[in-house]
Amino acid sequence: MSALASHFSYAVTIFLLVAGLFIIIARGNLIKKMVGLSIFQTSVFLLYIVPGKLVGGTAPIVAPGFQVYSNPLPHVLILTAIVVGVATLALGLALAVRVHEAYGTIEEDEILERDAAS
Amino acid sequence: MMVVAVVALARSRNLFAVVVLAGAYSFLMATVLVALDAVDVAMTEAAVGAGISTVLFLGALYLCRSEEAKPAHRPLIPFALAVSTGALLVYGSLGLPDFSDPQAPIHTHVAPRYLNDGPQETGVPNVVTAVLASYRGFDTFGETTVVFTAGVGVIVLLRRRRKDKNKES
């Protein structure tokens, strides 16, 4: 029981990760795949941020009267990851738009059919 | 609530609804991050995840079709693969330290130095800003390079199409 309580955050993270992975693999629509990828990404954010939290601590802004702070290092890493994530997202969506121009569709099955036909 | 949003997102076939749900999901994630004391990250997630990402998705939807096709077969293999990955990860997470354990390795190595000496060395009370801009400035520079490269890629991808259109007309 205590193991369940102390590892609940990991369970949430893993559920989000699995959901994102499932959307990426199972859905043929390229934009839906990008949504799945961003869910996968947020689960990784949680994976980093959650261990840095200390119960009873505050945000890592040093001020008199506070002794316990959450770990600032994962916050820094994830700030970078969010920005890089939106860059990859923009690039992926641009590719999807380009595929739509070339094939007239963003469904994976129809693209493969068209490739097989030509 | 986040779980509900994700499940609805996976099932919905109208891409517009999917994008709006993804925005709501990002805001929920931002509130969770506030609860986890990561205020800087939460602010960025709300601005970037719920703001810019949604705008990008809507732009892409405007240029493409906004209805998803019905899948031809039931997604059994992906489901099995995802579930087995999840089971493996659960097994792996059992070896991780407990939630909010002050003796966990993450709290004993580098972070205390930043928290103790950071404000004196940089003069910035916000330790996240101090690390980001001062100690790890080169990382931030690399990040800007990544964003620049992505921007160049997007422009190259979308400019070619305008030229083609000009040729056709």
Side-chain angles (χ1 to χ4, degrees), chain A residues 38-102:
Chain A
S38 48
I39 289 177
F40 196 101
Q41 250 172 13
T42 50
S43 82
V44 177
F45 300 164
L46 267 190
L47 180 70
Y48 270 67
I49 297 288
V50 164
K53 163 80 176 167
L54 280 176
V55 171
T58 59
I61 300 171
V62 175
F66 294 104
Q67 289 302 315
V68 185
Y69 299 102
S70 289
N71 197 324
L73 218 51
H75 300 185
V76 177
L77 297 177
I78 293 309
L79 274 180
T80 310
I82 289 178
V83 176
V84 171
V86 82
T88 51
L89 179 75
L91 202 60
L93 287 176
L95 273 173
V97 168
R98 193 71 192 95
V99 166
H100 184 258
E101 303 266 317

Side-chain angles (χ1 to χ4, degrees), chain B residues 57-147:
Chain B
F57 274 125
L58 288 179
L61 281 187
Y62 172 71
L63 294 169
C64 303
R65 217 167 13 145
S66 70
E67 201 68 25
E68 190 187 8
K70 220 168 151 52
H73 43 83
R74 295 198 56 75
L76 281 178
I77 298 176
F79 188 75
L81 192 69
V83 168
S84 52
T85 311
L88 203 66
L89 286 171
V90 167
Y91 172 69
S93 76
L94 292 179
L96 289 174
D98 289 352
F99 178 67
S100 179
D101 176 10
Q103 295 308 315
I106 185 173
H107 293 298
T108 53
H109 276 298
V110 190
R113 193 203 171 276
Y114 283 139
L115 280 169
N116 292 330
D117 303 347
Q120 282 86 41
E121 283 180 358
T122 60
V124 183
N126 187 336
V127 182
V128 175
T129 315
V131 175
L132 191 74
S134 185
Y135 293 108
R136 315 230 58 174
F138 265 111
D139 283 9
T140 310
F141 177 67
E143 177 190 336
T144 350
T145 317
V146 169
V147 174

Side-chain angles (χ1 to χ4, degrees), chain B residues 19-20 22-28 30 43-55:
Chain B
V19 169
V20 172
Y25 167 82
S26 281
F27 266 119
L28 287 173
M43 208 153 68
T44 316
E45 170 71 17
V48 171
I52 299 177
S53 298
T54 311
V55 170

